[in-house]
Amino acid sequence: MLAIARQILWNAEAFLEAAERQDLVDDRLRLGVTELIACTWLHRFLRRFREVYPSVSVELEVGLTGEIEKKLATGQIDLALQTGSFDREAGRTIHLRTYPYIWVAAPALAQANGTNRSMVNLLKGPVLTHGRNTVASKELARYAEAKRLAMNQVVYSSSLASSVQMTVDGMGFALLPAALVRDQLQSRSLVQIDIEWLPSPLEFYARFNPKRVPRFVEVAAGFAAEIANSGN
């Protein structure tokens, strides 16, 4: 009965799409995103979605990839915009964009440390980065272990925005996605530092289960790919 009910709803939505009356689709989109997306192009995506589906409300969940993926698997959200790799199947996965990491610091801190910058010297002082269980943090830990470098000065934060502000305040060097600090680099409140090691870039994906969600979720995933590749 549930499958039949879903098919009826999909057919009704398909009828409105064929008539180009997506404005009559009255539903909700339960959206889960990571903080990097929330701090970069999320607002542009929401505006694009609202232009086409003005009667669809959006329930937004911002969290770590693991939390977003779990809620997608349990049906608590319809569309996940998250990083790979994945612990659970979703149904459909669309690649969005690759985001490289860079090392940054406040200008005064960078100048005080001169040109003798290496991972050996960097890890002797505070290093700010994202959560302990992120891919970048795990790769940093493996690198430090292989080189027998201490990790006791690494400061993990579940909030990327807080990491950026702490870096601007001169509290340490930081390993962050380049897109996140674009504005700070342009204003020179942060400067990029050349270091011999960087983690793997972040790979972002749109994920959803087409058997459990309305038709407009796939359209929304397409909008995400369009917006993600239109700029930072």
Side-chain angles (χ1 to χ4, degrees):
M1 293 297 293
L2 180 59
I4 294 172
R6 282 176 175 157
Q7 189 62 54
I8 292 172
L9 293 173
W10 289 334
N11 289 341
E13 191 179 340
F15 177 81
L16 293 175
E17 289 176 1
E20 298 184 352
R21 291 305 306 270
Q22 291 93 331
D23 58 302
L24 296 179
V25 178
D26 186 6
D27 208 326
R28 64 171 178 168
L29 171 64
R30 299 174 300 170
L31 177 65
V33 306
T34 64
E35 190 181 5
L36 178 58
I37 292 176
C39 291
T40 51
W41 51 266
L42 176 62
H43 290 174
R44 284 184 286 140
F45 164 79
L46 293 175
R47 285 196 298 269
R48 178 76 175 96
F49 183 77
R50 179 56 62 87
E51 289 173 358
V52 180
Y53 294 97
S55 299
V56 176
S57 62
V58 177
E59 296 180 4
L60 180 63
E61 178 83 22
V62 180
L64 297 175
T65 282
E67 300 167 354
I68 296 300
E69 186 175 16
K70 181 179 179 180
K71 291 188 176 183
L72 178 67
T74 56
Q76 298 178 64
I77 60 175
D78 303 315
L79 175 63
L81 306 180
Q82 63 165 109
T83 56
S85 57
F86 314 120
D87 296 325
R88 299 173 174 87
E89 293 294 329
R92 284 289 308 279
T93 298
I94 300 172
H95 184 264
L96 297 180
R97 186 173 171 178
T98 300
Y99 287 93
Y101 279 93
I102 59 173
W103 290 98
V104 293
L109 179 62
Q111 186 176 8
N113 281 268
T115 59
N116 185 23
R117 301 181 186 123
S118 65
M119 288 297 293
V120 173
N121 293 323
L122 201 71
L123 289 173
K124 291 179 181 178
V127 169
L128 312 173
T129 191
H130 202 193
R132 188 182 297 272
N133 292 320
T134 60
V135 173
S137 295
K138 291 177 180 178
E139 289 187 10
L140 176 60
R142 288 195 294 269
Y143 176 88
E145 182 179 6
K147 299 293 184 179
R148 297 183 179 180
L149 303 177
M151 290 280 290
N152 58 306
Q153 292 293 321
V154 177
V155 179
Y156 300 99
S157 173
S158 60
S159 169
L160 283 171
S162 296
S163 296
V164 172
Q165 188 57 54
M166 287 189 291
T167 311
V168 170
D169 291 341
M171 297 180 64
F173 290 87
L175 178 64
L176 296 168
L180 184 68
V181 293
R182 180 192 58 175
D183 292 343
Q184 288 79 9
L185 291 173
Q186 289 180 347
S187 66
R188 299 291 296 175
S189 58
L190 290 177
V191 294
Q192 184 172 348
I193 307 299
D194 292 327
I195 302 294
E196 77 271 17
W197 178 88
L198 286 169
S200 302
L202 287 170
E203 300 289 349
F204 268 88
Y205 301 84
R207 308 182 74 222
F208 60 97
N209 186 340
K211 295 181 179 180
R212 298 173 61 177
V213 297
R215 293 169 59 91
F216 62 76
V217 172
E218 184 170 3
V219 178
F223 290 161
E226 171 191 317
I227 299 298
N229 287 285
S230 66
N232 290 328

